[in-house]
Amino acid sequence: MTREDVIVRLDELGLRPAKIEELLAFGATYPEEQRRYMILALGSVCVGSACYYYSPALGDDWSALRSLRLVWFEYVSDNGYRFAAVRK
């Protein structure tokens, strides 16, 4: 799925992509979820070099620490990602 496919699918479900502040609130409430999979907030983007879109993501850094990072996301090829979303 592309970034746009995910957003369209969320819309079909009556959801919108979460913004960074909603992602951080989720991480504060459920801190262990980001150790299971990376959680992206596609509602907030940063446009980097070559017009790549980066979104904030909660994850871990493989040393048992929780992390917040910017992730380049254009295509999902596995189910290692989850997408934070809120009801419209």
Side-chain angles (χ1 to χ4, degrees):
M1 293 180 75
T2 66
R3 179 179 187 283
E4 290 77 20
D5 292 337
V6 172
I7 293 171
V8 166
R9 181 67 179 128
L10 290 175
D11 185 57
E12 290 170 353
L13 295 170
L15 303 170
R16 67 166 175 78
K19 297 178 181 177
I20 189 170
E21 57 269 24
E22 295 157 333
L23 177 70
L24 295 173
F26 178 84
T29 304
Y30 305 100
E32 294 304 311
E33 288 300 305
Q34 72 190 77
R35 296 184 196 280
R36 298 175 57 205
Y37 35 73
M38 191 170 299
I39 307 165
L40 280 79
L42 297 179
S44 294
V45 295
C46 170
V47 180
S49 61
C51 294
Y52 289 136
Y53 290 92
Y54 295 86
S55 289
L58 296 176
D60 66 30
D61 69 357
W62 301 281
S63 67
L65 297 175
R66 296 167 52 224
S67 68
L68 172 66
R69 65 186 84 180
L70 288 175
V71 173
W72 175 60
F73 176 80
E74 281 301 318
Y75 180 76
V76 174
S77 60
D78 63 28
N79 43 342
Y81 294 100
R82 298 295 189 270
F83 304 97
V86 295
R87 294 191 191 285
K88 289 184 172 184

